[in-house]
Amino acid sequence: MPKKRHNNQYSKPPSVAPPSLSLSSSSRASEQNERSVNQILADLRRTAPRPTGVSQNNVAIATPTVHPSIRDILQIPEVPAPRPRRPQRRDANGRRIPPGPPPPRSWTSLSQSQPTFRDFKTDKKRQRQHWPLPGAYAPKPGSLVGEVLGRIVMDWDQQRHWNQFYFYTLPSHLRTALLGYILDFYEPGLSVADLRLVLTGPADSEFEEYDVEKPDLDLMNSDISCLDLSFSVGKSLKLKKLTEFLFPPDATIESHVQESWDTSEPVFGPTKLLPNLTQLSLAIEPGTWCAVSWKQLLTLANKLPTLTHLNLSGWPQPSLTGSIREPGSRTTVEDNNSYDWSEAIMVLKRLSKALYSLEYLDLTGCVNWAPALKAESDGEFVDWVRDWGKITMLRLRSSYALSDEHTDGNVFQFADWIDIATAVEKHIIAQRAGRGRWITVEKETLTESAKAVLEGPPPSYLSIRVH
């Protein structure tokens, strides 16, 4: 059989140009092809300007090196020396700095590690300490947001009137930060009127007078989860008024006939101003413990079952009736063991059943009644397994800072507070016994000089009160 013929559709192009292409080219192109590459480069070197030896794009032109004697004979100018390389910029640690001008001093000062606003407050007069709620937003000191909020609070008496239709339109994190600045820098303190202005806007009559549409509170405050009211409760903010503001009274319900049997019956209940509130700080200032009420706190707690973080710094001994101790009073382990904690246990048990979702509890300055957290009276005790089994952080600090000029009485007082907090921690761990979450009890720590005082002979008196 004859072999099949295959016509190759693709083939390798010839390496030599066809004669037709060379014949069709112009005479000028043929002359350029006859010139060598070296001749073309030499012509470019002669025609290129070289007063500085640098092109327009700031790229040095490569020129061939010539022997100095030949350069003198041919009168060729000397090649300019290359520019010296700029030394690399390095910081104090030897790391290379990014190119460009150095940043302004204000930028570098803000980038340094600084404590956040309201992160760790210390009253220099009384050496009292306060820890805010974890995760609460606060602008950095010296930042633009912090400066603007500070200027607003400095003129708050007029700002609350002229900008009453703008505060409630700010983002939620700026509104909570503004409330924190009012707490710290406004001398009269935060009031319910200020809370209403920032969270809900002015009164309804103001909206009607200026023909402004009322905001939708369900959407406006749905992303607020933290409310820090430290040092206002008992001073400029009453707990009863706060409860009425957060949970206004129920509206009157008119009876009506449903249009269809399939229509679900509406559920009426207390309106929540902050439906997603999970963190609340009700810390009080020293000297205002008589103005707070555990009964009102229980009323508020019954309406906040989803609360996970609570700060009760400085609160007095839990009691509904009867005499109570002042927080921070002189107390020892022996005094607490012989004290009747039945009423305090009853109040704390009701609080634990209302706030069963707590994970963080700050009782700074409440060490004198902390034994009620582990005491038992007539079979009643605080349940750390079921009611408060989710708490993983319990702060039992004294709120005092032990200065370098401490006395022996101060050191022994701090040692008693540490013993009380340690006893509470051991009780909670033993009660859970692996059935609940692990808990961390934050307590005082002693310096080396204070430990040396404890190792020495005890003083003859221990009735000195911490100042």
Side-chain angles (χ1 to χ4, degrees), residues 32-45:
Q32 292 181 356
N33 291 334
E34 292 176 358
R35 299 170 60 189
S36 63
V37 178
N38 293 333
Q39 292 177 355
I40 297 175
L41 293 177
D43 294 340
L44 291 175
R45 295 190 188 98

Side-chain angles (χ1 to χ4, degrees), residues 244-297:
E244 295 176 353
F245 169 68
L246 295 178
F247 301 92
D250 300 344
T252 57
I253 305 174
E254 297 180 359
S255 59
H256 61 280
V257 180
Q258 299 182 6
E259 298 179 357
S260 174
W261 290 99
D262 299 334
T263 306
S264 59
E265 184 177 358
V267 179
F268 297 92
T271 305
K272 291 185 178 181
L273 179 66
L274 303 176
N276 297 320
L277 181 63
T278 58
Q279 301 185 17
L280 180 63
S281 177
L282 300 176
I284 63 175
E285 282 189 353
T288 60
W289 57 276
C290 294
V292 295
S293 170
W294 281 92
K295 184 178 181 180
Q296 297 175 1
L297 177 61

Side-chain angles (χ1 to χ4, degrees), residues 428-463:
I428 297 175
I429 295 176
Q431 190 181 94
R432 291 184 177 180
R435 291 177 294 172
R437 302 179 182 179
W438 183 261
I439 189 170
T440 300
V441 178
E442 185 176 322
K443 47 196 172 183
E444 304 290 346
T445 57
L446 296 177
T447 60
E448 296 297 331
S449 59
K451 294 179 181 179
V453 174
L454 293 177
E455 295 175 356
S460 57
Y461 58 92
L462 290 177
S463 59

Side-chain angles (χ1 to χ4, degrees), residues 410-430:
N410 299 141
V411 175
F412 279 88
Q413 174 69 90
F414 269 75
D416 289 339
W417 286 335
I418 294 175
D419 293 340
I420 294 174
T422 304
V424 173
E425 181 181 17
K426 293 180 179 180
H427 170 76
I428 297 175
I429 295 176

Side-chain angles (χ1 to χ4, degrees), residues 294 297-302 304-308 310 312 318 343-361 363 369 372-373 380-391 431-432:
W294 281 92
L297 177 61
L298 292 176
T299 303
L300 177 61
N302 290 327
L304 292 172
T306 59
L307 205 64
T308 59
L310 180 63
L312 296 178
E343 186 178 9
I345 294 173
M346 178 192 64
V347 176
L348 290 175
K349 188 174 181 179
R350 291 178 56 182
L351 184 66
S352 64
K353 289 185 177 297
L355 302 178
Y356 53 84
S357 298
L358 274 187
E359 301 175 4
Y360 171 95
L361 181 59
L363 297 179
W369 56 264
L373 300 173
E380 299 292 335
F381 57 89
V382 179
D383 192 350
W384 291 96
V385 178
R386 290 178 293 272
D387 297 338
W388 274 352
K390 297 181 180 180
I391 293 182
Q431 190 181 94
R432 291 184 177 180

